């Protein structure tokens, strides 16, 4: 499951770069690594909670769905916080232009 979730940030990042006609520079790569980390963290937490429910005797699918309902609020909160921070940083000028060089 964790391997499947790392494909979505790649597709979204490169689609956004192509749509906005931006280059794949170090800032885009840092953002890509951050998005991969966020999606992997969410997948790890879901798998961990599902495993705990499975060990307590629930069927695998039912345990995963129940835990996903409990965790659903936290996953979008983390994602929106990251997205809003990235939007705020994206509107600032590049560091090379700040020094006046």
């Amino acid at each position: 499951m964790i391997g499947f979730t790392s494909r979505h940030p790649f597709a979204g990042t490169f689609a956004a770069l192509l749509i906005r006609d931006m280059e794949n520079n170090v800032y885009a790569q840092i953002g890509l690594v951050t998005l991969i980390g966020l999606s992997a963290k969410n997948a790890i937490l879901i798998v961990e909670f599902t495993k705990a429910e499975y060990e307590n005797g629930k069927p695998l699918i039912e345990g995963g769905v129940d835990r996903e309902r409990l965790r659903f609020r936290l996953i979008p909160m983390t994602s929106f916080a990251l997205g809003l921070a990235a939007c705020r940083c994206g509107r600032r000028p590049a560091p090379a232009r700040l020094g006046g060089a």
Side-chain angles (χ1 to χ4, degrees):
M1 177 178 180
I2 297 165
F4 289 123
T5 62
S6 63
R7 297 177 186 176
H8 294 96
F10 277 114
T13 300
F14 290 120
L17 289 174
L18 286 173
I19 290 170
R20 298 203 50 193
D21 196 30
M22 299 175 75
E23 64 182 48
N24 184 11
N25 58 14
V26 69
Y27 296 110
Q29 293 171 3
I30 290 171
L32 179 64
V33 170
T34 305
L35 288 173
I36 290 171
L38 179 66
S39 66
K41 177 192 78 87
N42 291 335
I44 289 169
L45 287 174
I46 291 169
V47 168
E48 186 177 306
F49 286 130
T50 302
K51 182 180 175 225
E53 287 293 315
Y54 181 71
E55 290 172 352
N56 287 336
K58 274 194 175 178
L60 191 61
I61 301 295
E62 185 180 333
V65 170
D66 287 346
R67 283 301 176 171
E68 180 60 29
R69 282 190 195 128
L70 291 173
R71 287 225 12 101
F72 182 70
R73 184 178 60 95
L74 299 175
I75 291 172
M77 283 174 43
T78 307
S79 301
F80 288 138
L82 175 71
L84 291 174
C87 287
R88 182 177 171 140
C89 291
R91 292 178 180 229
R92 295 185 183 258
R97 287 185 258 158
L98 290 176

